[in-house]
PDB file of all heavy atoms in Angstrom:
ATOM      1  N   GLY A 121       0.787  -1.224   0.000  1.00  0.00           N
ATOM      2  CA  GLY A 121       0.000   0.000   0.000  1.00  0.00           C
ATOM      3  C   GLY A 121       0.819   1.274   0.000  1.00  0.00           C
ATOM      4  O   GLY A 121       0.273   2.374   0.136  1.00  0.00           O
ATOM      5  N   PHE A 122       2.131   1.140  -0.156  1.00  0.00           N
ATOM      6  CA  PHE A 122       2.978   2.324  -0.280  1.00  0.00           C
ATOM      7  C   PHE A 122       2.907   2.857  -1.707  1.00  0.00           C
ATOM      8  O   PHE A 122       2.760   2.098  -2.674  1.00  0.00           O
ATOM      9  CB  PHE A 122       4.440   1.986   0.035  1.00  0.00           C
ATOM     10  CG  PHE A 122       4.759   1.902   1.498  1.00  0.00           C
ATOM     11  CD1 PHE A 122       4.746   0.692   2.158  1.00  0.00           C
ATOM     12  CD2 PHE A 122       5.081   3.046   2.216  1.00  0.00           C
ATOM     13  CE1 PHE A 122       5.049   0.596   3.506  1.00  0.00           C
ATOM     14  CE2 PHE A 122       5.386   2.969   3.566  1.00  0.00           C
ATOM     15  CZ  PHE A 122       5.372   1.740   4.214  1.00  0.00           C
ATOM     16  N   GLU A 123       3.039   4.147  -1.829  1.00  0.00           N
ATOM     17  CA  GLU A 123       3.165   4.790  -3.138  1.00  0.00           C
ATOM     18  C   GLU A 123       4.623   5.193  -3.330  1.00  0.00           C
ATOM     19  O   GLU A 123       5.170   5.952  -2.523  1.00  0.00           O
ATOM     20  CB  GLU A 123       2.267   6.021  -3.231  1.00  0.00           C
ATOM     21  CG  GLU A 123       2.403   6.774  -4.549  1.00  0.00           C
ATOM     22  CD  GLU A 123       1.623   8.061  -4.579  1.00  0.00           C
ATOM     23  OE1 GLU A 123       0.797   8.288  -3.673  1.00  0.00           O
ATOM     24  OE2 GLU A 123       1.862   8.867  -5.508  1.00  0.00           O
ATOM     25  N   LEU A 124       5.241   4.677  -4.359  1.00  0.00           N
ATOM     26  CA  LEU A 124       6.651   4.980  -4.593  1.00  0.00           C
ATOM     27  C   LEU A 124       6.814   6.408  -5.102  1.00  0.00           C
ATOM     28  O   LEU A 124       6.150   6.817  -6.056  1.00  0.00           O
ATOM     29  CB  LEU A 124       7.235   4.001  -5.606  1.00  0.00           C
ATOM     30  CG  LEU A 124       8.754   4.090  -5.766  1.00  0.00           C
ATOM     31  CD1 LEU A 124       9.453   3.429  -4.589  1.00  0.00           C
ATOM     32  CD2 LEU A 124       9.201   3.448  -7.067  1.00  0.00           C
ATOM     33  N   ILE A 125       7.695   7.158  -4.470  1.00  0.00           N
ATOM     34  CA  ILE A 125       8.024   8.504  -4.936  1.00  0.00           C
ATOM     35  C   ILE A 125       9.167   8.445  -5.938  1.00  0.00           C
ATOM     36  O   ILE A 125       9.098   8.996  -7.028  1.00  0.00           O
ATOM     37  CB  ILE A 125       8.401   9.420  -3.755  1.00  0.00           C
ATOM     38  CG1 ILE A 125       7.203   9.607  -2.832  1.00  0.00           C
ATOM     39  CG2 ILE A 125       8.902  10.770  -4.249  1.00  0.00           C
ATOM     40  CD1 ILE A 125       7.508  10.432  -1.604  1.00  0.00           C
ATOM     41  N   THR A 126      10.223   7.723  -5.552  1.00  0.00           N
ATOM     42  CA  THR A 126      11.363   7.592  -6.459  1.00  0.00           C
ATOM     43  C   THR A 126      12.278   6.468  -5.989  1.00  0.00           C
ATOM     44  O   THR A 126      12.249   6.071  -4.826  1.00  0.00           O
ATOM     45  CB  THR A 126      12.168   8.910  -6.547  1.00  0.00           C
ATOM     46  OG1 THR A 126      13.125   8.827  -7.609  1.00  0.00           O
ATOM     47  CG2 THR A 126      12.894   9.219  -5.244  1.00  0.00           C
ATOM     48  N   SER A 127      13.077   5.959  -6.899  1.00  0.00           N
ATOM     49  CA  SER A 127      14.126   4.995  -6.564  1.00  0.00           C
ATOM     50  C   SER A 127      15.185   5.061  -7.649  1.00  0.00           C
ATOM     51  O   SER A 127      14.863   5.101  -8.835  1.00  0.00           O
ATOM     52  CB  SER A 127      13.567   3.573  -6.440  1.00  0.00           C
ATOM     53  OG  SER A 127      13.009   3.155  -7.676  1.00  0.00           O
ATOM     54  N   TYR A 128      16.438   5.082  -7.237  1.00  0.00           N
ATOM     55  CA  TYR A 128      17.534   5.158  -8.200  1.00  0.00           C
ATOM     56  C   TYR A 128      18.863   4.878  -7.496  1.00  0.00           C
ATOM     57  O   TYR A 128      18.970   4.956  -6.263  1.00  0.00           O
ATOM     58  CB  TYR A 128      17.586   6.530  -8.874  1.00  0.00           C
ATOM     59  CG  TYR A 128      17.673   7.703  -7.916  1.00  0.00           C
ATOM     60  CD1 TYR A 128      18.905   8.197  -7.486  1.00  0.00           C
ATOM     61  CD2 TYR A 128      16.519   8.307  -7.425  1.00  0.00           C
ATOM     62  CE1 TYR A 128      18.988   9.269  -6.615  1.00  0.00           C
ATOM     63  CE2 TYR A 128      16.584   9.371  -6.547  1.00  0.00           C
ATOM     64  CZ  TYR A 128      17.825   9.852  -6.146  1.00  0.00           C
ATOM     65  OH  TYR A 128      17.892  10.907  -5.265  1.00  0.00           O
ATOM     66  N   VAL A 129      19.861   4.542  -8.265  1.00  0.00           N
ATOM     67  CA  VAL A 129      21.219   4.353  -7.745  1.00  0.00           C
ATOM     68  C   VAL A 129      21.845   5.731  -7.540  1.00  0.00           C
ATOM     69  O   VAL A 129      21.822   6.573  -8.435  1.00  0.00           O
ATOM     70  CB  VAL A 129      22.073   3.513  -8.708  1.00  0.00           C
ATOM     71  CG1 VAL A 129      23.542   3.513  -8.267  1.00  0.00           C
ATOM     72  CG2 VAL A 129      21.539   2.086  -8.783  1.00  0.00           C
ATOM     73  N   TYR A 130      22.366   5.962  -6.349  1.00  0.00           N
ATOM     74  CA  TYR A 130      22.929   7.275  -6.031  1.00  0.00           C
ATOM     75  C   TYR A 130      24.400   7.229  -5.632  1.00  0.00           C
ATOM     76  O   TYR A 130      25.046   8.271  -5.502  1.00  0.00           O
ATOM     77  CB  TYR A 130      22.127   7.938  -4.912  1.00  0.00           C
ATOM     78  CG  TYR A 130      22.347   7.323  -3.548  1.00  0.00           C
ATOM     79  CD1 TYR A 130      23.248   7.878  -2.632  1.00  0.00           C
ATOM     80  CD2 TYR A 130      21.672   6.164  -3.168  1.00  0.00           C
ATOM     81  CE1 TYR A 130      23.457   7.305  -1.390  1.00  0.00           C
ATOM     82  CE2 TYR A 130      21.871   5.588  -1.929  1.00  0.00           C
ATOM     83  CZ  TYR A 130      22.759   6.162  -1.049  1.00  0.00           C
ATOM     84  OH  TYR A 130      22.974   5.592   0.186  1.00  0.00           O
ATOM     85  N   ASN A 131      24.931   6.019  -5.424  1.00  0.00           N
ATOM     86  CA  ASN A 131      26.318   5.931  -4.955  1.00  0.00           C
ATOM     87  C   ASN A 131      26.926   4.606  -5.390  1.00  0.00           C
ATOM     88  O   ASN A 131      26.234   3.597  -5.509  1.00  0.00           O
ATOM     89  CB  ASN A 131      26.360   6.028  -3.425  1.00  0.00           C
ATOM     90  CG  ASN A 131      27.766   6.105  -2.878  1.00  0.00           C
ATOM     91  OD1 ASN A 131      28.618   6.802  -3.425  1.00  0.00           O
ATOM     92  ND2 ASN A 131      28.036   5.391  -1.801  1.00  0.00           N
ATOM     93  N   THR A 132      28.213   4.627  -5.640  1.00  0.00           N
ATOM     94  CA  THR A 132      28.957   3.412  -5.959  1.00  0.00           C
ATOM     95  C   THR A 132      30.146   3.306  -5.015  1.00  0.00           C
ATOM     96  O   THR A 132      30.945   4.234  -4.897  1.00  0.00           O
ATOM     97  CB  THR A 132      29.451   3.418  -7.412  1.00  0.00           C
ATOM     98  OG1 THR A 132      28.329   3.495  -8.294  1.00  0.00           O
ATOM     99  CG2 THR A 132      30.243   2.153  -7.728  1.00  0.00           C
ATOM    100  N   MET A 133      30.220   2.176  -4.316  1.00  0.00           N
ATOM    101  CA  MET A 133      31.327   1.921  -3.406  1.00  0.00           C
ATOM    102  C   MET A 133      32.343   0.996  -4.068  1.00  0.00           C
ATOM    103  O   MET A 133      31.962   0.121  -4.845  1.00  0.00           O
ATOM    104  CB  MET A 133      30.820   1.267  -2.121  1.00  0.00           C
ATOM    105  CG  MET A 133      29.890   2.129  -1.315  1.00  0.00           C
ATOM    106  SD  MET A 133      29.283   1.237   0.153  1.00  0.00           S
ATOM    107  CE  MET A 133      28.175   0.064  -0.626  1.00  0.00           C
ATOM    108  N   VAL A 134      33.593   1.181  -3.735  1.00  0.00           N
ATOM    109  CA  VAL A 134      34.661   0.340  -4.266  1.00  0.00           C
ATOM    110  C   VAL A 134      35.325  -0.397  -3.111  1.00  0.00           C
ATOM    111  O   VAL A 134      35.758   0.204  -2.128  1.00  0.00           O
ATOM    112  CB  VAL A 134      35.710   1.164  -5.035  1.00  0.00           C
ATOM    113  CG1 VAL A 134      36.835   0.264  -5.539  1.00  0.00           C
ATOM    114  CG2 VAL A 134      35.068   1.927  -6.188  1.00  0.00           C
ATOM    115  N   LYS A 135      35.350  -1.728  -3.226  1.00  0.00           N
ATOM    116  CA  LYS A 135      36.058  -2.565  -2.248  1.00  0.00           C
ATOM    117  C   LYS A 135      36.983  -3.481  -3.040  1.00  0.00           C
ATOM    118  O   LYS A 135      36.524  -4.356  -3.772  1.00  0.00           O
ATOM    119  CB  LYS A 135      35.069  -3.395  -1.426  1.00  0.00           C
ATOM    120  CG  LYS A 135      34.206  -2.580  -0.473  1.00  0.00           C
ATOM    121  CD  LYS A 135      33.238  -3.469   0.305  1.00  0.00           C
ATOM    122  CE  LYS A 135      33.946  -4.355   1.292  1.00  0.00           C
ATOM    123  NZ  LYS A 135      33.009  -5.149   2.125  1.00  0.00           N
ATOM    124  N   GLY A 136      38.277  -3.256  -2.887  1.00  0.00           N
ATOM    125  CA  GLY A 136      39.234  -4.035  -3.675  1.00  0.00           C
ATOM    126  C   GLY A 136      39.047  -3.732  -5.150  1.00  0.00           C
ATOM    127  O   GLY A 136      39.074  -2.578  -5.565  1.00  0.00           O
ATOM    128  N   ASP A 137      38.842  -4.781  -5.939  1.00  0.00           N
ATOM    129  CA  ASP A 137      38.667  -4.578  -7.375  1.00  0.00           C
ATOM    130  C   ASP A 137      37.198  -4.653  -7.785  1.00  0.00           C
ATOM    131  O   ASP A 137      36.888  -4.788  -8.974  1.00  0.00           O
ATOM    132  CB  ASP A 137      39.472  -5.624  -8.155  1.00  0.00           C
ATOM    133  CG  ASP A 137      39.031  -7.054  -7.826  1.00  0.00           C
ATOM    134  OD1 ASP A 137      38.241  -7.232  -6.876  1.00  0.00           O
ATOM    135  OD2 ASP A 137      39.481  -7.979  -8.529  1.00  0.00           O
ATOM    136  N   LYS A 138      36.289  -4.539  -6.809  1.00  0.00           N
ATOM    137  CA  LYS A 138      34.861  -4.652  -7.113  1.00  0.00           C
ATOM    138  C   LYS A 138      34.115  -3.374  -6.768  1.00  0.00           C
ATOM    139  O   LYS A 138      34.496  -2.632  -5.858  1.00  0.00           O
ATOM    140  CB  LYS A 138      34.243  -5.835  -6.366  1.00  0.00           C
ATOM    141  CG  LYS A 138      34.793  -7.174  -6.823  1.00  0.00           C
ATOM    142  CD  LYS A 138      33.838  -8.288  -6.508  1.00  0.00           C
ATOM    143  CE  LYS A 138      34.306  -9.592  -7.158  1.00  0.00           C
ATOM    144  NZ  LYS A 138      33.307 -10.666  -7.036  1.00  0.00           N
ATOM    145  N   LYS A 139      33.039  -3.154  -7.519  1.00  0.00           N
ATOM    146  CA  LYS A 139      32.181  -2.001  -7.286  1.00  0.00           C
ATOM    147  C   LYS A 139      30.793  -2.472  -6.874  1.00  0.00           C
ATOM    148  O   LYS A 139      30.287  -3.465  -7.381  1.00  0.00           O
ATOM    149  CB  LYS A 139      32.089  -1.139  -8.546  1.00  0.00           C
ATOM    150  CG  LYS A 139      33.411  -0.501  -8.947  1.00  0.00           C
ATOM    151  CD  LYS A 139      33.237   0.381 -10.181  1.00  0.00           C
ATOM    152  CE  LYS A 139      34.560   1.033 -10.567  1.00  0.00           C
ATOM    153  NZ  LYS A 139      34.398   1.899 -11.757  1.00  0.00           N
ATOM    154  N   TYR A 140      30.194  -1.718  -5.945  1.00  0.00           N
ATOM    155  CA  TYR A 140      28.871  -2.066  -5.427  1.00  0.00           C
ATOM    156  C   TYR A 140      28.002  -0.808  -5.452  1.00  0.00           C
ATOM    157  O   TYR A 140      28.371   0.220  -4.882  1.00  0.00           O
ATOM    158  CB  TYR A 140      28.966  -2.600  -3.999  1.00  0.00           C
ATOM    159  CG  TYR A 140      29.895  -3.780  -3.856  1.00  0.00           C
ATOM    160  CD1 TYR A 140      31.243  -3.588  -3.539  1.00  0.00           C
ATOM    161  CD2 TYR A 140      29.443  -5.082  -4.055  1.00  0.00           C
ATOM    162  CE1 TYR A 140      32.110  -4.667  -3.415  1.00  0.00           C
ATOM    163  CE2 TYR A 140      30.303  -6.164  -3.927  1.00  0.00           C
ATOM    164  CZ  TYR A 140      31.638  -5.943  -3.612  1.00  0.00           C
ATOM    165  OH  TYR A 140      32.493  -7.021  -3.493  1.00  0.00           O
ATOM    166  N   ASP A 141      26.852  -0.921  -6.091  1.00  0.00           N
ATOM    167  CA  ASP A 141      25.944   0.213  -6.182  1.00  0.00           C
ATOM    168  C   ASP A 141      24.993   0.256  -5.001  1.00  0.00           C
ATOM    169  O   ASP A 141      24.500  -0.780  -4.533  1.00  0.00           O
ATOM    170  CB  ASP A 141      25.120   0.141  -7.470  1.00  0.00           C
ATOM    171  CG  ASP A 141      25.939   0.455  -8.708  1.00  0.00           C
ATOM    172  OD1 ASP A 141      26.963   1.156  -8.581  1.00  0.00           O
ATOM    173  OD2 ASP A 141      25.557  -0.004  -9.796  1.00  0.00           O
ATOM    174  N   GLN A 142      24.716   1.468  -4.547  1.00  0.00           N
ATOM    175  CA  GLN A 142      23.709   1.689  -3.517  1.00  0.00           C
ATOM    176  C   GLN A 142      22.542   2.454  -4.127  1.00  0.00           C
ATOM    177  O   GLN A 142      22.737   3.405  -4.884  1.00  0.00           O
ATOM    178  CB  GLN A 142      24.274   2.513  -2.361  1.00  0.00           C
ATOM    179  CG  GLN A 142      25.199   1.739  -1.443  1.00  0.00           C
ATOM    180  CD  GLN A 142      25.727   2.636  -0.334  1.00  0.00           C
ATOM    181  OE1 GLN A 142      26.408   3.607  -0.595  1.00  0.00           O
ATOM    182  NE2 GLN A 142      25.420   2.301   0.903  1.00  0.00           N
ATOM    183  N   PHE A 143      21.332   2.036  -3.767  1.00  0.00           N
ATOM    184  CA  PHE A 143      20.144   2.733  -4.243  1.00  0.00           C
ATOM    185  C   PHE A 143      19.442   3.408  -3.080  1.00  0.00           C
ATOM    186  O   PHE A 143      19.628   3.047  -1.914  1.00  0.00           O
ATOM    187  CB  PHE A 143      19.177   1.758  -4.924  1.00  0.00           C
ATOM    188  CG  PHE A 143      18.557   0.754  -4.002  1.00  0.00           C
ATOM    189  CD1 PHE A 143      17.380   1.040  -3.311  1.00  0.00           C
ATOM    190  CD2 PHE A 143      19.139  -0.488  -3.807  1.00  0.00           C
ATOM    191  CE1 PHE A 143      16.807   0.115  -2.444  1.00  0.00           C
ATOM    192  CE2 PHE A 143      18.578  -1.420  -2.938  1.00  0.00           C
ATOM    193  CZ  PHE A 143      17.410  -1.116  -2.261  1.00  0.00           C
ATOM    194  N   ILE A 144      18.629   4.388  -3.403  1.00  0.00           N
ATOM    195  CA  ILE A 144      17.718   4.990  -2.438  1.00  0.00           C
ATOM    196  C   ILE A 144      16.308   4.772  -2.959  1.00  0.00           C
ATOM    197  O   ILE A 144      16.062   4.845  -4.167  1.00  0.00           O
ATOM    198  CB  ILE A 144      18.010   6.489  -2.220  1.00  0.00           C
ATOM    199  CG1 ILE A 144      17.175   7.028  -1.043  1.00  0.00           C
ATOM    200  CG2 ILE A 144      17.777   7.314  -3.481  1.00  0.00           C
ATOM    201  CD1 ILE A 144      17.623   8.405  -0.567  1.00  0.00           C
ATOM    202  N   MET A 145      15.402   4.450  -2.064  1.00  0.00           N
ATOM    203  CA  MET A 145      14.001   4.233  -2.423  1.00  0.00           C
ATOM    204  C   MET A 145      13.143   4.985  -1.412  1.00  0.00           C
ATOM    205  O   MET A 145      13.296   4.807  -0.207  1.00  0.00           O
ATOM    206  CB  MET A 145      13.668   2.742  -2.418  1.00  0.00           C
ATOM    207  CG  MET A 145      12.276   2.404  -2.921  1.00  0.00           C
ATOM    208  SD  MET A 145      12.032   0.599  -3.155  1.00  0.00           S
ATOM    209  CE  MET A 145      13.081   0.278  -4.582  1.00  0.00           C
TER     210      MET A 145
END
């Protein structure tokens, strides 16, 4: 029953040789 306002990737973290995306919803 929630109404979504927005969601998107806003940050990318780097650990070693890998990248991980963070989203906000």
Side-chain angles (χ1 to χ4, degrees):
F122 280 95
E123 177 186 349
L124 189 76
I125 296 177
T126 190
S127 62
Y128 55 90
V129 171
Y130 73 97
N131 187 42
T132 300
M133 296 177 288
V134 178
K135 291 180 69 176
D137 60 350
K138 295 203 171 188
K139 295 182 179 180
Y140 304 91
D141 288 335
Q142 285 179 298
F143 67 88
I144 189 167
M145 186 171 290

